[in-house]
Amino acid sequence: MTVAAKAEPKNAGKGMSDAEVVEAYLTASMIPDPEAAATYMKPGTIITFTGGREFDHPRGPTGFNARRYRWVKKKMDRFDVCPGADETVVYSIGTLYGEWLDGTPFKDNRYVDRFVVKGGQIVKMDVWNDSAERILVQMGIGA
């Protein structure tokens, strides 16, 4: 599934499947364009990031990632869609690739993002990945 990152704030999410909304959000996030990504979220949506960090706008994870990576992208392998009565849970599963702050490249860093989508907008997001484990190994600490 591929969705171009052409966020149009007035139309974001309209006529898109819940998985397409999630993919468009992630694609905009990787540019990174947190303002475009935000058009796919209900304002004030809580993003619970790795380590339990909470953000209320995509700027939060973008800023956090800037302190961890020179750059990072997602290879989105699949979307698992779990429809409910009034909301849909969408899991994006894949790997991260990019460069650590010191310029060392990495790939195959597993991630799972869980989204709750309601009325064509993301209303909750949870993020997990292996970055902390990999950072520990870089520091010589057995993970």
Side-chain angles (χ1 to χ4, degrees):
M1 170 181 281
T2 301
V3 175
K6 296 178 183 166
E8 298 176 25
K10 61 184 181 294
N11 296 322
K14 304 284 191 257
M16 300 170 76
S17 73
D18 294 335
E20 288 171 330
V21 168
V22 166
E23 186 171 18
Y25 167 85
L26 290 172
T27 300
S29 295
M30 285 188 290
I31 290 173
D33 186 345
E35 298 308 319
T39 65
Y40 296 97
M41 293 190 135
K42 183 176 179 180
T45 292
I46 297 299
I47 303 165
T48 305
F49 214 61
T50 58
R53 295 164 187 86
E54 289 188 347
F55 305 104
D56 63 0
H57 190 278
R59 283 185 297 269
T62 298
F64 177 78
N65 282 340
R67 294 189 316 261
R68 185 177 270 192
Y69 313 106
R70 251 190 208 179
W71 63 272
V72 63
K73 304 291 182 204
K74 289 185 178 187
K75 180 179 175 284
M76 296 177 258
D77 291 332
R78 73 175 202 255
F79 294 89
D80 293 345
V81 180
C82 309
D86 65 345
E87 64 186 27
T88 302
V89 174
V90 178
Y91 292 91
S92 174
I93 301 167
T95 55
L96 303 176
Y97 63 96
E99 286 184 10
W100 299 110
L101 286 177
D102 68 2
T104 304
F106 69 89
K107 64 179 183 171
D108 300 326
N109 182 341
R110 300 173 306 164
Y111 83 86
V112 176
D113 293 340
R114 180 186 184 274
F115 295 85
V116 178
V117 182
K118 193 171 189 173
Q121 288 187 301
I122 297 165
V123 298
K124 182 167 179 33
M125 179 182 178
D126 296 288
V127 176
W128 297 274
N129 64 56
D130 285 338
S131 290
E133 298 293 315
R134 289 180 169 224
I135 291 169
L136 288 172
V137 169
Q138 285 177 341
M139 296 174 65
I141 300 169

